[in-house]
Amino acid sequence: MRLLTHNMLSSNIKGVTNGFPLGIEVEKVIEKQVDFNPDFLKNMLLKIEWKALVDASRSLGYAELPEEAPESSVIDSDDFLRKLHHALLELHLEEGALVCPQTGRKFPVNKGIPNMLLHEDEV
Amino acid sequence: MKLKQLESLLGDLQQFSNPKVELEQYPTGPHIASRLLYTAENSFGDVSNKVVADFGCGCGTLGAAAALLGAEQVLAFDIDTESLELASENAEELELDINFVQCDISNLVWRGQIVDTVVMNPPFGTRKKGVDMDFLCVALKVASQAVYSLHKTSTRDHVRRAALRDFNASSAEVLCELQFDVPQLYKFHKKKEVNIAVDLWRFVPKRNQGKVL
C-alpha cells in the first residue's frame, strides 16, 4: 500500500465522525522504484493532506519530508519533489495494519492490500 | 497504443473460475473494456497521467486497461478476496503496477475528490437492488474529473435522473450503446449466452469545495 492510498482512505465504521488519517502499524515496509514525474507530483500536492503524509512517511521510517506544508518557492525544487516522490509513491506498507484514529479498530494490510471490510455490527 | 492491441492484451487476462452470483461477477469483456478506456483517453483525455480508480474491479480488466493507456496511478477496489488475488495475478502478468484495496464500495469513506477518473462496470443490481446506484453515488463523490460506467440500457432514464438530481453530477451523457455478452456462468441461466444492451456513460462531477465525506 502506497502512502498515496493512505492519504485517501478514512475509517468507515458506523458512528465514527473523524476517521482520517488512519494510524499505521508497521510489520514490513518495502520500496519499489517508479518513474519520476514532476508535473504529476505538483498536481497531487494540491490534493494531499500534507500532515497525514508526513506522519505516515515517518511511521514507515522515512523522515525527510518537512513538517510544514511546502511554500510555493520550494515546490519546484528537484530535491523536494524527489523526496515527495519517494514518500508518496515508492514506500509501501507491505504487512501491518491501519488504525482507526477514533476507535483503535485495526484494518489489516496483507501483501500490500489494505482490508477495509467492516463487520456486520460496524456498518 | 492501438485499440486492437489493447483489446488483444485484455483478452489474455484470466477470468473468474468460480464466479459468485451474489456479487454479480460477470467479467467485463475485452471488447467493452478496451472501448471504454480508449474513449476515455482519446476523446476526453481522462486516463494518461491521471489517477484512475476501478470500482468493483473483479479480475481487474478496466484497471489494467487504464494502466496500459498510461494512467499515472491506478487504484482498484473490490470486496472479494479471490477477485483481488486474480486481479493482482493479471496485473503481474502484464507487468502493471496497480494499487489494490479490499472494501465494500457502498460504505467506502474517502477524503474528498482525490482521484481524477473512476471507471467501473458495477453490478447491475439485479441480485442486490440498488447496488449499481450505490457505486455511482460514491464514484461521483471521489472523482474530480469524470466517471465512466456501464448500466443497462433499460435503466437509462433512472440513471440520468439519479445522477443529476441526487448524486452530484453536473452532466450525464450516454456515449454509446453496447452489447454485453453474458455467457452461461450460473445454473439459473437457461440460455447459453444472452446479450444485454448496456449504455456506456460519462458523468462529470460537480466541483466541490474541500472535504466531501
Side-chain angles (χ1 to χ4, degrees), chain A residues 9 14 18 32 43 45 47-49 71-72 79 82 87 89 92 94-95 102 110 112:
Chain A
L9 291 175
K14 186 182 172 189
N18 203 357
K32 290 186 210 164
N43 184 31
L45 259 184
K47 296 183 170 186
I48 54 182
E49 277 260 332
E71 304 274 330
S72 52
D79 179 58
R82 290 206 178 262
L89 303 176
H92 291 255
E94 186 70 2
E95 300 289 336
Q102 201 171 315
N110 298 119

Side-chain angles (χ1 to χ4, degrees), chain B residues 106 131 154 156 171 190:
Chain B
S106 309
V131 66
S154 59
R156 188 179 291 180
S171 81
K190 300 251 161 49

Side-chain angles (χ1 to χ4, degrees), chain B:
Chain B
M1 181 178 292
K2 294 229 163 67
L3 177 61
K4 280 273 169 228
Q5 197 185 352
L6 179 65
E7 183 173 347
S8 147
L9 283 169
L10 298 177
D12 293 338
L13 297 179
Q14 295 182 67
Q15 306 286 354
F16 304 110
S17 48
N18 293 301
K20 298 188 179 71
V21 62
E22 68 277 14
L23 297 176
E24 298 189 50
Q25 291 180 330
Y26 301 101
T28 315
H31 178 85
I32 288 188
S34 56
R35 273 148 192 84
L36 192 160
L37 268 300
Y38 199 78
T39 307
E41 171 61 10
N42 291 288
S43 304
F44 300 99
D46 285 333
V47 180
S48 59
N49 299 313
K50 307 290 180 193
V51 180
V52 178
D54 178 358
F55 275 12
C57 68
C59 49
T61 314
L62 294 176
L68 286 166
L69 290 181
E72 186 70 26
Q73 290 288 324
V74 177
L75 294 112
F77 299 79
D78 207 284
I79 195 171
D80 178 44
T81 309
E82 285 166 39
S83 291
L84 289 164
E85 279 170 10
L86 190 54
S88 329
E89 283 173 27
N90 278 333
E92 226 164 278
E93 191 64 34
L94 289 172
E95 296 181 3
L96 301 173
D97 177 7
I98 292 178
N99 304 279
F100 292 101
V101 176
Q102 186 165 21
C103 74
D104 181 347
I105 293 293
S106 309
N107 58 37
L108 175 69
V109 178
W110 212 333
R111 188 185 61 75
Q113 291 173 310
I114 302 173
V115 300
D116 299 298
T117 306
V118 174
V119 293
M120 59 184 188
N121 173 19
F124 289 137
T126 43
R127 307 295 293 187
K128 190 180 164 202
K129 212 168 163 23
V131 66
D132 50 339
M133 291 295 111
D134 288 349
F135 270 57
L136 183 58
C137 175
V138 176
L140 280 163
K141 283 181 185 165
V142 305
S144 64
Q145 201 161 320
V147 174
Y148 293 83
S149 184
L150 298 163
H151 298 273
K152 278 188 186 174
T153 301
S154 59
T155 63
R156 188 179 291 180
D157 292 343
H158 173 61
V159 170
R160 187 190 307 280
R161 206 175 322 122
L164 294 173
R165 191 187 58 194
D166 307 329
F167 297 159
N168 194 40
S170 66
S171 81
E173 185 189 353
V174 176
L175 300 178
C176 62
E177 200 179 307
L178 295 157
Q179 291 297 317
F180 202 104
D181 308 325
V182 180
Q184 188 181 26
L185 291 175
Y186 305 117
K187 281 200 184 114
F188 65 84
H189 284 160
K190 300 251 161 49
K191 290 183 189 155
K192 220 168 179 180
E193 187 172 296
V194 263
N195 287 329
I196 300 178
V198 295
D199 292 336
L200 168 55
W201 287 87
R202 180 175 190 265
F203 305 94
V204 176
K206 283 182 192 145
R207 293 267 158 191
N208 55 39
Q209 280 77 49
K211 298 176 184 183
V212 212
L213 297 166

Side-chain angles (χ1 to χ4, degrees), chain A residues 5-70:
Chain A
T5 309
H6 172 264
N7 212 275
M8 300 179 178
L9 291 175
S10 183
S11 168
N12 49 352
I13 301 166
K14 186 182 172 189
V16 167
T17 49
N18 203 357
F20 183 88
L22 294 156
I24 296 182
E25 277 187 9
V26 177
E27 279 174 44
K28 185 181 173 194
V29 174
I30 59 170
E31 294 182 17
K32 290 186 210 164
Q33 282 200 351
V34 287
D35 291 342
F36 178 62
N37 181 344
D39 290 335
F40 174 75
L41 292 166
K42 283 184 225 170
N43 184 31
M44 284 314 295
L45 259 184
L46 305 171
K47 296 183 170 186
I48 54 182
E49 277 260 332
W50 185 255
K51 185 160 178 4
L53 177 65
V54 173
D55 291 348
S57 64
R58 290 189 178 171
S59 308
L60 267 50
Y62 185 72
E64 300 292 316
L65 291 181
E67 189 78 39
E68 297 297 322

